Short mmCIF file of all heavy atoms in Angstrom, two decimals:
data_model
loop_
_atom_site.label_atom_id
_atom_site.label_comp_id
_atom_site.label_asym_id
_atom_site.label_seq_id
_atom_site.Cartn_x
_atom_site.Cartn_y
_atom_site.Cartn_z
N VAL A 1309 50.60 89.87 38.01
CA VAL A 1309 50.81 91.24 37.51
C VAL A 1309 52.27 91.62 37.69
O VAL A 1309 52.84 91.41 38.75
CB VAL A 1309 49.93 92.26 38.29
CG1 VAL A 1309 50.12 93.65 37.72
CG2 VAL A 1309 48.48 91.85 38.22
N SER A 1310 52.89 92.15 36.65
CA SER A 1310 54.29 92.55 36.77
C SER A 1310 54.40 94.06 36.85
O SER A 1310 53.53 94.80 36.43
CB SER A 1310 55.10 92.00 35.60
OG SER A 1310 54.66 92.52 34.38
N SER A 1311 55.50 94.49 37.45
CA SER A 1311 55.83 95.91 37.55
C SER A 1311 56.97 96.20 36.60
O SER A 1311 57.66 95.30 36.14
CB SER A 1311 56.27 96.25 38.97
OG SER A 1311 55.23 96.05 39.88
N LYS A 1312 57.17 97.48 36.35
CA LYS A 1312 58.23 97.90 35.47
C LYS A 1312 59.16 98.84 36.22
O LYS A 1312 58.70 99.74 36.92
CB LYS A 1312 57.64 98.62 34.26
CG LYS A 1312 58.62 98.90 33.15
CD LYS A 1312 58.06 99.85 32.09
CE LYS A 1312 56.93 99.23 31.29
NZ LYS A 1312 56.55 100.11 30.15
N ALA A 1313 60.47 98.61 36.08
CA ALA A 1313 61.44 99.52 36.71
C ALA A 1313 62.47 99.93 35.66
O ALA A 1313 62.85 99.14 34.81
CB ALA A 1313 62.15 98.83 37.87
N LEU A 1314 62.88 101.20 35.75
CA LEU A 1314 63.90 101.69 34.83
C LEU A 1314 65.10 102.14 35.67
O LEU A 1314 64.95 102.93 36.61
CB LEU A 1314 63.36 102.87 34.02
CG LEU A 1314 64.34 103.45 32.99
CD1 LEU A 1314 64.61 102.46 31.86
CD2 LEU A 1314 63.81 104.76 32.43
N PHE A 1315 66.26 101.61 35.34
CA PHE A 1315 67.49 101.96 36.05
C PHE A 1315 68.44 102.69 35.12
O PHE A 1315 68.52 102.40 33.92
CB PHE A 1315 68.21 100.68 36.53
CG PHE A 1315 67.41 99.86 37.50
CD1 PHE A 1315 66.53 98.89 37.05
CD2 PHE A 1315 67.54 100.06 38.86
CE1 PHE A 1315 65.79 98.13 37.95
CE2 PHE A 1315 66.80 99.31 39.77
CZ PHE A 1315 65.92 98.35 39.30
N SER A 1316 69.19 103.62 35.70
CA SER A 1316 70.34 104.18 35.04
C SER A 1316 71.53 103.31 35.43
O SER A 1316 71.72 103.01 36.61
CB SER A 1316 70.54 105.62 35.53
OG SER A 1316 71.81 106.07 35.12
N VAL A 1317 72.29 102.85 34.44
CA VAL A 1317 73.41 101.94 34.71
C VAL A 1317 74.70 102.61 34.23
O VAL A 1317 74.80 103.02 33.07
CB VAL A 1317 73.22 100.60 33.97
CG1 VAL A 1317 74.39 99.66 34.26
CG2 VAL A 1317 71.91 99.94 34.40
N THR A 1318 75.67 102.72 35.12
CA THR A 1318 76.95 103.31 34.72
C THR A 1318 78.00 102.21 34.62
O THR A 1318 77.90 101.16 35.24
CB THR A 1318 77.43 104.35 35.74
OG1 THR A 1318 77.52 103.76 37.03
CG2 THR A 1318 76.47 105.52 35.80
N GLY A 1319 79.01 102.45 33.79
CA GLY A 1319 80.14 101.54 33.69
C GLY A 1319 80.05 100.55 32.54
O GLY A 1319 80.96 99.74 32.36
N MET A 1320 79.00 100.62 31.73
CA MET A 1320 78.90 99.71 30.59
C MET A 1320 79.62 100.33 29.39
O MET A 1320 79.22 101.38 28.90
CB MET A 1320 77.43 99.47 30.20
CG MET A 1320 76.62 98.76 31.25
SD MET A 1320 75.00 98.23 30.58
CE MET A 1320 74.21 99.79 30.20
N THR A 1321 80.68 99.67 28.95
CA THR A 1321 81.43 100.22 27.82
C THR A 1321 81.35 99.38 26.56
O THR A 1321 81.74 99.83 25.50
CB THR A 1321 82.90 100.43 28.21
OG1 THR A 1321 83.42 99.21 28.75
CG2 THR A 1321 83.05 101.49 29.29
N CYS A 1322 80.87 98.15 26.65
CA CYS A 1322 80.77 97.33 25.43
C CYS A 1322 79.52 96.46 25.53
O CYS A 1322 78.88 96.39 26.57
CB CYS A 1322 82.01 96.48 25.25
SG CYS A 1322 82.13 95.12 26.42
N SER A 1323 79.24 95.75 24.45
CA SER A 1323 78.02 94.95 24.45
C SER A 1323 78.12 93.76 25.41
O SER A 1323 77.11 93.27 25.89
CB SER A 1323 77.66 94.49 23.04
OG SER A 1323 78.74 93.79 22.49
N ALA A 1324 79.35 93.32 25.69
CA ALA A 1324 79.49 92.24 26.68
C ALA A 1324 79.13 92.74 28.08
O ALA A 1324 78.58 91.99 28.89
CB ALA A 1324 80.91 91.68 26.65
N CYS A 1325 79.46 94.00 28.36
CA CYS A 1325 79.02 94.60 29.63
C CYS A 1325 77.50 94.57 29.72
O CYS A 1325 76.93 94.19 30.75
CB CYS A 1325 79.45 96.07 29.72
SG CYS A 1325 81.21 96.37 29.83
N ALA A 1326 76.85 94.97 28.66
CA ALA A 1326 75.38 95.00 28.65
C ALA A 1326 74.83 93.59 28.85
O ALA A 1326 73.86 93.40 29.59
CB ALA A 1326 74.89 95.60 27.33
N ALA A 1327 75.47 92.61 28.23
CA ALA A 1327 75.03 91.22 28.39
C ALA A 1327 75.20 90.76 29.84
O ALA A 1327 74.36 90.02 30.37
CB ALA A 1327 75.80 90.32 27.44
N SER A 1328 76.29 91.20 30.50
CA SER A 1328 76.50 90.84 31.91
C SER A 1328 75.40 91.39 32.80
O SER A 1328 74.93 90.72 33.71
CB SER A 1328 77.83 91.39 32.42
OG SER A 1328 78.89 90.94 31.66
N VAL A 1329 75.02 92.62 32.54
CA VAL A 1329 73.95 93.24 33.33
C VAL A 1329 72.65 92.46 33.13
O VAL A 1329 71.97 92.11 34.11
CB VAL A 1329 73.76 94.72 32.92
CG1 VAL A 1329 72.51 95.31 33.55
CG2 VAL A 1329 74.98 95.54 33.33
N GLU A 1330 72.35 92.17 31.88
CA GLU A 1330 71.12 91.44 31.59
C GLU A 1330 71.11 90.07 32.27
O GLU A 1330 70.12 89.66 32.87
CB GLU A 1330 71.03 91.28 30.06
CG GLU A 1330 69.62 91.10 29.57
CD GLU A 1330 69.57 91.24 28.06
OE1 GLU A 1330 69.70 92.37 27.56
OE2 GLU A 1330 69.41 90.20 27.39
N LYS A 1331 72.23 89.38 32.20
CA LYS A 1331 72.34 88.05 32.80
C LYS A 1331 72.21 88.12 34.32
O LYS A 1331 71.52 87.30 34.93
CB LYS A 1331 73.70 87.46 32.41
CG LYS A 1331 73.87 85.99 32.71
CD LYS A 1331 75.18 85.50 32.12
CE LYS A 1331 75.61 84.17 32.73
NZ LYS A 1331 76.98 83.82 32.31
N ALA A 1332 72.85 89.12 34.93
CA ALA A 1332 72.79 89.27 36.39
C ALA A 1332 71.35 89.50 36.85
O ALA A 1332 70.92 88.95 37.87
CB ALA A 1332 73.69 90.43 36.83
N VAL A 1333 70.61 90.29 36.09
CA VAL A 1333 69.22 90.58 36.47
C VAL A 1333 68.36 89.33 36.25
O VAL A 1333 67.56 88.95 37.11
CB VAL A 1333 68.67 91.78 35.67
CG1 VAL A 1333 67.17 91.95 35.91
CG2 VAL A 1333 69.43 93.05 36.04
N LYS A 1334 68.55 88.67 35.12
CA LYS A 1334 67.71 87.50 34.81
C LYS A 1334 67.96 86.31 35.74
O LYS A 1334 67.14 85.41 35.81
CB LYS A 1334 67.94 87.08 33.35
CG LYS A 1334 67.28 88.05 32.36
CD LYS A 1334 67.52 87.62 30.93
CE LYS A 1334 66.66 88.45 29.97
NZ LYS A 1334 67.03 88.18 28.56
N ARG A 1335 69.08 86.33 36.44
CA ARG A 1335 69.34 85.25 37.40
C ARG A 1335 68.46 85.33 38.63
O ARG A 1335 68.30 84.35 39.35
CB ARG A 1335 70.81 85.30 37.86
CG ARG A 1335 71.81 84.80 36.85
CD ARG A 1335 73.16 84.64 37.50
NE ARG A 1335 73.05 83.83 38.71
CZ ARG A 1335 73.93 83.80 39.69
NH1 ARG A 1335 75.01 84.55 39.61
NH2 ARG A 1335 73.77 83.03 40.74
N LEU A 1336 67.93 86.51 38.89
CA LEU A 1336 67.08 86.68 40.07
C LEU A 1336 65.73 86.00 39.85
O LEU A 1336 65.29 85.85 38.72
CB LEU A 1336 66.84 88.18 40.33
CG LEU A 1336 68.07 89.01 40.68
CD1 LEU A 1336 67.73 90.49 40.59
CD2 LEU A 1336 68.57 88.66 42.06
N PRO A 1337 65.07 85.62 40.94
CA PRO A 1337 63.71 85.09 40.79
C PRO A 1337 62.76 86.24 40.45
O PRO A 1337 63.05 87.40 40.75
CB PRO A 1337 63.40 84.54 42.20
CG PRO A 1337 64.25 85.36 43.11
CD PRO A 1337 65.52 85.66 42.34
N GLY A 1338 61.67 85.93 39.80
CA GLY A 1338 60.62 86.93 39.59
C GLY A 1338 60.90 87.95 38.51
O GLY A 1338 60.28 89.01 38.48
N ILE A 1339 61.84 87.65 37.62
CA ILE A 1339 62.12 88.58 36.52
C ILE A 1339 61.39 88.11 35.27
O ILE A 1339 61.53 86.96 34.85
CB ILE A 1339 63.64 88.65 36.23
CG1 ILE A 1339 64.43 89.09 37.47
CG2 ILE A 1339 63.91 89.60 35.04
CD1 ILE A 1339 64.11 90.49 37.94
N ARG A 1340 60.59 88.99 34.70
CA ARG A 1340 59.86 88.64 33.48
C ARG A 1340 60.67 89.00 32.24
O ARG A 1340 60.69 88.26 31.26
CB ARG A 1340 58.51 89.36 33.48
CG ARG A 1340 57.69 89.10 32.26
CD ARG A 1340 56.34 89.79 32.39
NE ARG A 1340 55.61 89.71 31.14
CZ ARG A 1340 54.52 90.44 30.89
NH1 ARG A 1340 54.06 91.27 31.82
NH2 ARG A 1340 53.92 90.34 29.75
N GLN A 1341 61.32 90.15 32.29
CA GLN A 1341 62.09 90.59 31.13
C GLN A 1341 63.13 91.61 31.57
O GLN A 1341 62.86 92.42 32.45
CB GLN A 1341 61.14 91.23 30.11
CG GLN A 1341 61.81 91.84 28.89
CD GLN A 1341 60.79 92.48 27.98
OE1 GLN A 1341 60.27 91.85 27.08
NE2 GLN A 1341 60.51 93.74 28.22
N ALA A 1342 64.31 91.56 30.97
CA ALA A 1342 65.34 92.58 31.24
C ALA A 1342 65.89 93.04 29.89
O ALA A 1342 66.34 92.23 29.09
CB ALA A 1342 66.46 91.99 32.09
N LEU A 1343 65.79 94.33 29.67
CA LEU A 1343 66.29 94.92 28.43
C LEU A 1343 67.34 95.96 28.77
O LEU A 1343 67.07 96.90 29.51
CB LEU A 1343 65.15 95.60 27.66
CG LEU A 1343 64.02 94.71 27.12
CD1 LEU A 1343 62.92 95.59 26.53
CD2 LEU A 1343 64.56 93.74 26.09
N VAL A 1344 68.54 95.78 28.24
CA VAL A 1344 69.62 96.72 28.54
C VAL A 1344 69.91 97.55 27.29
O VAL A 1344 70.09 97.00 26.20
CB VAL A 1344 70.88 95.98 29.01
CG1 VAL A 1344 72.01 96.96 29.25
CG2 VAL A 1344 70.58 95.18 30.28
N ASP A 1345 69.92 98.86 27.48
CA ASP A 1345 70.22 99.79 26.40
C ASP A 1345 71.60 100.39 26.66
O ASP A 1345 71.76 101.30 27.47
CB ASP A 1345 69.12 100.86 26.37
CG ASP A 1345 69.32 101.88 25.26
OD1 ASP A 1345 70.43 101.96 24.70
OD2 ASP A 1345 68.35 102.59 24.96
N LEU A 1346 72.57 99.82 25.97
CA LEU A 1346 73.97 100.22 26.18
C LEU A 1346 74.20 101.69 25.86
O LEU A 1346 74.86 102.41 26.62
CB LEU A 1346 74.86 99.33 25.31
CG LEU A 1346 76.34 99.64 25.22
CD1 LEU A 1346 77.01 99.50 26.57
CD2 LEU A 1346 77.01 98.72 24.20
N LEU A 1347 73.67 102.14 24.73
CA LEU A 1347 73.94 103.52 24.27
C LEU A 1347 73.37 104.56 25.21
O LEU A 1347 73.95 105.63 25.40
CB LEU A 1347 73.39 103.72 22.85
CG LEU A 1347 74.07 102.88 21.77
CD1 LEU A 1347 73.48 103.21 20.41
CD2 LEU A 1347 75.58 103.12 21.77
N ASN A 1348 72.23 104.24 25.82
CA ASN A 1348 71.59 105.21 26.71
C ASN A 1348 71.80 104.91 28.18
O ASN A 1348 71.23 105.59 29.04
CB ASN A 1348 70.10 105.29 26.38
CG ASN A 1348 69.86 105.85 25.00
OD1 ASN A 1348 70.27 106.96 24.69
ND2 ASN A 1348 69.23 105.06 24.14
N ASN A 1349 72.61 103.90 28.48
CA ASN A 1349 72.91 103.54 29.88
C ASN A 1349 71.65 103.30 30.71
O ASN A 1349 71.51 103.83 31.82
CB ASN A 1349 73.78 104.62 30.53
CG ASN A 1349 75.12 104.73 29.85
OD1 ASN A 1349 75.42 105.75 29.22
ND2 ASN A 1349 75.92 103.69 29.92
N ARG A 1350 70.76 102.52 30.13
CA ARG A 1350 69.51 102.23 30.83
C ARG A 1350 69.26 100.73 30.86
O ARG A 1350 69.68 100.01 29.95
CB ARG A 1350 68.32 102.87 30.10
CG ARG A 1350 68.34 104.40 30.09
CD ARG A 1350 68.02 104.96 31.45
NE ARG A 1350 67.88 106.41 31.43
CZ ARG A 1350 68.91 107.25 31.61
NH1 ARG A 1350 70.13 106.78 31.79
NH2 ARG A 1350 68.70 108.54 31.61
N ALA A 1351 68.57 100.30 31.91
CA ALA A 1351 68.08 98.93 31.96
C ALA A 1351 66.61 98.98 32.35
O ALA A 1351 66.25 99.58 33.37
CB ALA A 1351 68.87 98.09 32.96
N GLN A 1352 65.77 98.37 31.53
CA GLN A 1352 64.35 98.31 31.84
C GLN A 1352 64.01 96.88 32.22
O GLN A 1352 64.35 95.94 31.50
CB GLN A 1352 63.52 98.74 30.64
CG GLN A 1352 62.04 98.87 30.98
CD GLN A 1352 61.19 99.04 29.75
OE1 GLN A 1352 60.96 98.09 29.00
NE2 GLN A 1352 60.73 100.25 29.52
N VAL A 1353 63.37 96.75 33.37
CA VAL A 1353 63.10 95.41 33.90
C VAL A 1353 61.62 95.25 34.22
O VAL A 1353 61.04 96.10 34.90
CB VAL A 1353 63.94 95.15 35.18
CG1 VAL A 1353 63.71 93.73 35.68
CG2 VAL A 1353 65.42 95.40 34.91
N LEU A 1354 61.04 94.18 33.71
CA LEU A 1354 59.68 93.81 34.11
C LEU A 1354 59.82 92.69 35.14
O LEU A 1354 60.52 91.70 34.90
CB LEU A 1354 58.88 93.30 32.91
CG LEU A 1354 58.68 94.30 31.77
CD1 LEU A 1354 57.79 93.68 30.69
CD2 LEU A 1354 58.06 95.58 32.27
N PHE A 1355 59.17 92.88 36.29
CA PHE A 1355 59.36 91.92 37.38
C PHE A 1355 58.07 91.73 38.17
O PHE A 1355 57.15 92.55 38.10
CB PHE A 1355 60.48 92.40 38.31
CG PHE A 1355 60.17 93.68 39.04
CD1 PHE A 1355 59.77 93.64 40.38
CD2 PHE A 1355 60.26 94.90 38.41
CE1 PHE A 1355 59.47 94.81 41.07
CE2 PHE A 1355 59.96 96.08 39.10
CZ PHE A 1355 59.57 96.03 40.42
N TYR A 1356 58.05 90.62 38.93
CA TYR A 1356 56.91 90.32 39.78
C TYR A 1356 57.25 90.71 41.21
O TYR A 1356 58.10 90.07 41.85
CB TYR A 1356 56.56 88.84 39.68
CG TYR A 1356 56.15 88.46 38.28
CD1 TYR A 1356 57.04 87.83 37.41
CD2 TYR A 1356 54.88 88.78 37.81
CE1 TYR A 1356 56.66 87.51 36.11
CE2 TYR A 1356 54.50 88.46 36.50
CZ TYR A 1356 55.39 87.83 35.67
OH TYR A 1356 55.04 87.54 34.39
N PRO A 1357 56.63 91.78 41.72
CA PRO A 1357 57.01 92.34 43.02
C PRO A 1357 56.80 91.42 44.22
O PRO A 1357 57.36 91.66 45.28
CB PRO A 1357 56.19 93.63 43.13
CG PRO A 1357 55.16 93.56 42.08
CD PRO A 1357 55.61 92.58 41.04
N SER A 1358 56.04 90.35 44.06
CA SER A 1358 55.93 89.42 45.19
C SER A 1358 57.17 88.55 45.31
O SER A 1358 57.38 87.89 46.32
CB SER A 1358 54.68 88.56 45.09
OG SER A 1358 54.06 88.65 43.85
N PHE A 1359 58.01 88.54 44.27
CA PHE A 1359 59.19 87.68 44.29
C PHE A 1359 60.51 88.43 44.36
O PHE A 1359 61.52 87.89 44.81
CB PHE A 1359 59.20 86.79 43.04
CG PHE A 1359 58.09 85.80 43.01
CD1 PHE A 1359 56.91 86.09 42.33
CD2 PHE A 1359 58.20 84.60 43.69
CE1 PHE A 1359 55.85 85.18 42.32
CE2 PHE A 1359 57.16 83.69 43.68
CZ PHE A 1359 55.99 83.98 43.00
N VAL A 1360 60.53 89.67 43.90
CA VAL A 1360 61.80 90.41 43.85
C VAL A 1360 61.49 91.91 43.96
O VAL A 1360 60.42 92.35 43.53
CB VAL A 1360 62.57 90.06 42.55
CG1 VAL A 1360 61.83 90.52 41.32
CG2 VAL A 1360 64.00 90.58 42.58
N THR A 1361 62.40 92.64 44.59
CA THR A 1361 62.19 94.08 44.75
C THR A 1361 63.09 94.89 43.82
O THR A 1361 64.11 94.38 43.33
CB THR A 1361 62.49 94.53 46.20
OG1 THR A 1361 63.89 94.28 46.45
CG2 THR A 1361 61.66 93.75 47.20
N GLU A 1362 62.72 96.13 43.62
CA GLU A 1362 63.56 97.02 42.81
C GLU A 1362 64.95 97.13 43.42
O GLU A 1362 65.95 97.19 42.72
CB GLU A 1362 62.91 98.41 42.73
CG GLU A 1362 61.67 98.40 41.88
CD GLU A 1362 60.74 99.56 42.16
OE1 GLU A 1362 60.66 99.98 43.34
OE2 GLU A 1362 60.10 100.03 41.21
N GLU A 1363 65.00 97.16 44.76
CA GLU A 1363 66.30 97.29 45.43
C GLU A 1363 67.17 96.05 45.21
O GLU A 1363 68.38 96.18 45.01
CB GLU A 1363 66.10 97.58 46.93
CG GLU A 1363 67.36 97.69 47.74
CD GLU A 1363 68.37 98.74 47.27
OE1 GLU A 1363 68.03 99.63 46.47
OE2 GLU A 1363 69.54 98.65 47.69
N SER A 1364 66.57 94.87 45.22
CA SER A 1364 67.43 93.69 44.98
C SER A 1364 67.88 93.62 43.53
O SER A 1364 68.98 93.15 43.24
CB SER A 1364 66.79 92.39 45.45
OG SER A 1364 65.44 92.35 45.20
N ILE A 1365 67.08 94.14 42.61
CA ILE A 1365 67.53 94.22 41.21
C ILE A 1365 68.70 95.20 41.10
O ILE A 1365 69.72 94.91 40.47
CB ILE A 1365 66.36 94.65 40.29
CG1 ILE A 1365 65.24 93.61 40.33
CG2 ILE A 1365 66.87 94.86 38.86
CD1 ILE A 1365 63.95 94.07 39.68
N ARG A 1366 68.54 96.34 41.76
CA ARG A 1366 69.61 97.34 41.75
C ARG A 1366 70.91 96.75 42.31
O ARG A 1366 72.00 96.94 41.76
CB ARG A 1366 69.17 98.56 42.57
CG ARG A 1366 69.94 99.84 42.29
CD ARG A 1366 69.67 100.90 43.35
NE ARG A 1366 70.14 100.47 44.66
CZ ARG A 1366 71.42 100.44 45.02
NH1 ARG A 1366 72.35 100.82 44.17
NH2 ARG A 1366 71.78 100.03 46.21
N GLU A 1367 70.78 96.03 43.42
CA GLU A 1367 71.97 95.41 44.04
C GLU A 1367 72.60 94.36 43.14
O GLU A 1367 73.83 94.23 43.10
CB GLU A 1367 71.60 94.80 45.39
CG GLU A 1367 71.45 95.85 46.49
CD GLU A 1367 70.88 95.28 47.79
OE1 GLU A 1367 70.70 94.04 47.88
OE2 GLU A 1367 70.61 96.09 48.69
N ALA A 1368 71.79 93.60 42.43
CA ALA A 1368 72.34 92.58 41.52
C ALA A 1368 73.17 93.23 40.41
O ALA A 1368 74.21 92.70 40.02
CB ALA A 1368 71.20 91.74 40.92
N ILE A 1369 72.71 94.38 39.93
CA ILE A 1369 73.48 95.10 38.90
C ILE A 1369 74.80 95.59 39.49
O ILE A 1369 75.86 95.47 38.87
CB ILE A 1369 72.65 96.27 38.32
CG1 ILE A 1369 71.39 95.75 37.63
CG2 ILE A 1369 73.50 97.09 37.34
CD1 ILE A 1369 70.41 96.84 37.19
N GLU A 1370 74.73 96.10 40.71
CA GLU A 1370 75.96 96.58 41.36
C GLU A 1370 76.92 95.42 41.66
O GLU A 1370 78.13 95.55 41.48
CB GLU A 1370 75.62 97.32 42.65
CG GLU A 1370 74.76 98.54 42.36
CD GLU A 1370 75.25 99.80 43.03
OE1 GLU A 1370 75.67 99.71 44.19
OE2 GLU A 1370 75.19 100.87 42.39
N ASP A 1371 76.37 94.29 42.09
CA ASP A 1371 77.22 93.13 42.37
C ASP A 1371 77.91 92.62 41.10
O ASP A 1371 78.97 91.98 41.18
CB ASP A 1371 76.40 92.00 43.00
CG ASP A 1371 75.98 92.32 44.43
OD1 ASP A 1371 76.51 93.30 45.00
OD2 ASP A 1371 75.12 91.60 44.97
N ALA A 1372 77.32 92.90 39.94
CA ALA A 1372 77.95 92.52 38.68
C ALA A 1372 79.05 93.51 38.28
O ALA A 1372 79.70 93.33 37.26
CB ALA A 1372 76.89 92.42 37.58
N GLY A 1373 79.21 94.56 39.07
CA GLY A 1373 80.32 95.48 38.83
C GLY A 1373 79.96 96.80 38.18
O GLY A 1373 80.84 97.54 37.73
N PHE A 1374 78.67 97.12 38.16
CA PHE A 1374 78.23 98.35 37.53
C PHE A 1374 77.53 99.24 38.56
O PHE A 1374 77.18 98.80 39.64
CB PHE A 1374 77.29 98.04 36.36
CG PHE A 1374 77.95 97.16 35.34
CD1 PHE A 1374 77.86 95.77 35.45
CD2 PHE A 1374 78.70 97.70 34.32
CE1 PHE A 1374 78.49 94.94 34.53
CE2 PHE A 1374 79.35 96.88 33.39
CZ PHE A 1374 79.24 95.51 33.50
N GLY A 1375 77.34 100.49 38.20
CA GLY A 1375 76.58 101.39 39.06
C GLY A 1375 75.13 101.36 38.62
O GLY A 1375 74.84 101.29 37.44
N ALA A 1376 74.21 101.40 39.57
CA ALA A 1376 72.80 101.38 39.21
C ALA A 1376 72.00 102.32 40.10
O ALA A 1376 72.18 102.36 41.31
CB ALA A 1376 72.25 99.96 39.33
N THR A 1377 71.13 103.08 39.46
CA THR A 1377 70.22 103.98 40.16
C THR A 1377 68.82 103.74 39.62
O THR A 1377 68.63 103.66 38.41
CB THR A 1377 70.59 105.46 39.88
OG1 THR A 1377 71.97 105.66 40.18
CG2 THR A 1377 69.77 106.40 40.75
N LEU A 1378 67.86 103.62 40.53
CA LEU A 1378 66.47 103.47 40.10
C LEU A 1378 65.95 104.82 39.63
O LEU A 1378 65.99 105.80 40.38
CB LEU A 1378 65.62 102.95 41.26
CG LEU A 1378 64.13 102.77 40.99
CD1 LEU A 1378 63.88 101.68 39.95
CD2 LEU A 1378 63.39 102.45 42.28
N LEU A 1379 65.47 104.87 38.40
CA LEU A 1379 64.91 106.12 37.89
C LEU A 1379 63.40 106.17 38.12
O LEU A 1379 62.86 107.18 38.52
CB LEU A 1379 65.21 106.26 36.39
CG LEU A 1379 66.70 106.37 36.02
CD1 LEU A 1379 66.85 106.41 34.51
CD2 LEU A 1379 67.33 107.60 36.64
N ARG A 1380 62.73 105.09 37.80
CA ARG A 1380 61.28 105.03 38.04
C ARG A 1380 60.82 103.60 37.87
O ARG A 1380 61.51 102.75 37.37
CB ARG A 1380 60.50 105.94 37.08
CG ARG A 1380 60.74 105.69 35.60
CD ARG A 1380 59.92 106.66 34.79
NE ARG A 1380 60.39 106.79 33.43
CZ ARG A 1380 60.18 105.87 32.48
NH1 ARG A 1380 59.49 104.79 32.77
NH2 ARG A 1380 60.65 106.05 31.27
MO1 9UX B 2187 84.75 94.16 27.57
MO2 9UX B 2187 82.72 95.56 28.69
O1 9UX B 2187 86.04 93.73 28.80
O2 9UX B 2187 83.69 95.86 30.21
S1 9UX B 2187 82.98 93.40 28.89
S2 9UX B 2187 84.49 96.45 27.82
#
């Protein structure tokens, strides 16, 4: 069973930024899907909570150089 998390992501100014965020999230274990919406500054992630937490996803986005806040 996967969970869904929605993050607000700051600092994305081009589509390559959005691709970096997506790549950083997909590198983690337990990620089913990562969708980045550049225009709305959002990232929606489907993940398996036994393998990865919302907080580690948030940190991976920050480590890629962007700001991330868990919305829900
Ligand atoms: Mo291009 Mo997005 O340098 O930072 S990847 S604007």
Side-chain angles (χ1 to χ4, degrees):
V1309 182
S1310 62
S1311 296
K1312 190 191 292 188
L1314 182 68
F1315 298 88
S1316 167
V1317 180
T1318 57
M1320 296 191 296
T1321 52
C1322 72
S1323 56
C1325 293
S1328 302
V1329 170
E1330 205 168 287
K1331 192 173 163 189
V1333 172
K1334 286 180 171 172
R1335 285 191 52 200
L1336 296 168
I1339 301 296
R1340 179 176 171 193
Q1341 175 182 269
L1343 294 174
V1344 177
D1345 181 345
L1346 173 63
L1347 294 182
N1348 294 302
N1349 297 113
R1350 295 288 186 271
Q1352 187 191 75
V1353 183
L1354 299 184
F1355 65 102
Y1356 298 101
S1358 12
F1359 294 95
V1360 65
T1361 63
E1362 289 159 326
E1363 178 57 16
S1364 39
I1365 298 168
R1366 199 193 64 75
E1367 283 172 6
I1369 298 172
E1370 299 229 320
D1371 289 348
F1374 302 90
T1377 307
L1378 178 65
L1379 297 176
R1380 56 180 162 76

